[in-house]
Amino acid sequence: MSKAVRILVDGVSLQAQEGQSLTAALMMAGVPAIRRSPTGEARGALCAMGSCHECRATVDGVRGVRTCLVKVSEGLRVQREVPLSHAPLQAAAEENDGARLQRIETGLAVIGAGPAGLAAACAAAELGTEVVVIDESMGPGGRIWSHRHEPPLAARSWLERARAAGVRKLQGYTVYQGRAGDLEVARVTDGKRLRIHCETIVVATGARERFLPFPGWTLPGVVGAGALQSLIKGGLNIDGRRVMVAGTGPLLLAVARLAKESGAEVILAEQSPLAQRSSLAIPLLLSPSRWKPALQLWKSLDGIEQHPSSWVTEARGEGVVREVVLRTPAGDRVMEVDGLAVGYGLIPETRTAAGLGCELDPSGTVRVDSLQQTTVEGILCAGEPTGIAGCEAAVDEGLVAGIVAAGKTPRSRLLARVRRHRFWGQALEEAHPIRDEVQKLAGAEEILCRCEDVPVGEVCGVSSMREARLIHRVGMGPCQGRICESASICQAWSGSDTIRPPWSVVPGENQGPGSDL
């Protein structure tokens, strides 16, 4: 059992559990929204994975801290942020002097400690390479293997192998700029910076959720499907709560199961028809390692209210979500809920790879060859940045990348497995196409860019990403477009996002005009 501790939120003492994610602790304490948007709307956590920056606050005097990446400890001080004074700006400028950064030398730097990153680190270290793993989460394992107490069974052997091989971990650090051979990282809790000089880099940054705007999607209590999973693993108690999990993709099933096991009354809504998803039957049967867990997962959903070919059209509530309008084949239904988790699949997290100069395919994935080598010499990429194909694929790609980074040649059997995984990823995508109706739910009044409060109607005449940024500030806030740019209206614009450093907002920095910080 975790120890009860006290934290201070805007000077008010609240009880929490030691080791909880700060976001989960705030929600359990009745603080669903820690910040306000530029127009004054209360905003709560959306992704709970560090992408959306909606949960940011001042923590122990440090501005811009993403509370989903912070563990609760006794006496932690949390404040809603106020306008900057000149002193923090000067301090940030002085600390950002690259010449003063502490330097770390290593053979291989692995960015990301999920399945792909851990596999790459273990493979390289066991072949004699000195390895440093950089990961911004509270603990290793990535989102799929995240844990608060004991790591899941699938992760234990990798974590033990990494420890035994002498892999060095920089946990709670984010890469904010760099190039092949040199990376600059900052601690997510206080902005402390380090410089890493390395011979090779493996980018294993995983994926983020795809969010599509709809009426009420900015209400506190509306989170991503993967966000609900992270919050529960981070200590959020949903026992007895009525929760809807909606959207599309296999992640919904895993989240619904976890919510059910955590004591919630779960409603599951999948926008794809069952007939379309049945196309996965043959690829599953051809992969015994996948169909057995899939069958167990499906059986675990017994007793959950399920709605195929259904999607959320509106979330309602005063200050927090209380009702959901669900469109079903039988018509619209208004359902009372205590929380709503909506996610429309995953998007490869390629920002770091693109910032390092790696080319992307037209599909938006990092371009790699059969040995996971990118178009930049000395940089490899593994896992979901190269395509969404699940945990097994991430592990095998990570093994290939780690072996190559160590100067060795992977066995043909391993390379063949990687090729088969990519066919599975294609089958997953084809089984869960997003309906046109879902992509057109947001009207002119709905917020498109949450960071800058830009409504859909304001950008209806926009034709390019550059115009949207320069004139309307779409994608100019702390999340840098990670959330809004997956919406259909943004996808229709010409041009692409320009990745410039810093690739991630560092705590304590001036986060620029236009935000509420």
Side-chain angles (χ1 to χ4, degrees), residues 444 446 453-462 471-474:
E446 268 66 65
D453 272 4
V454 181
V456 170
E458 189 173 309
V459 296
C460 282
V462 169
I471 299 177
H472 303 286
R473 298 194 58 78
V474 172

Side-chain angles (χ1 to χ4, degrees), residues 10 81 120 129 131 144 148 193 236 286 289 307 311 376 405 414 435 457 465 470 480 486:
D10 285 337
E81 296 191 327
T129 302
V131 181
I144 193 168
R148 190 171 156 220
R193 294 160 171 78
L236 180 66
L286 294 174
S289 62
H307 297 271
W311 60 93
V376 178
L414 174 59
R435 293 173 179 263
M465 183 63 68
L470 291 178
Q480 289 291 289
S486 61

Side-chain angles (χ1 to χ4, degrees), residues 356-368:
L356 288 167
C358 304
E359 289 185 14
L360 305 184
D361 284 327
S363 63
T365 59
V366 179
R367 180 172 295 167
V368 294

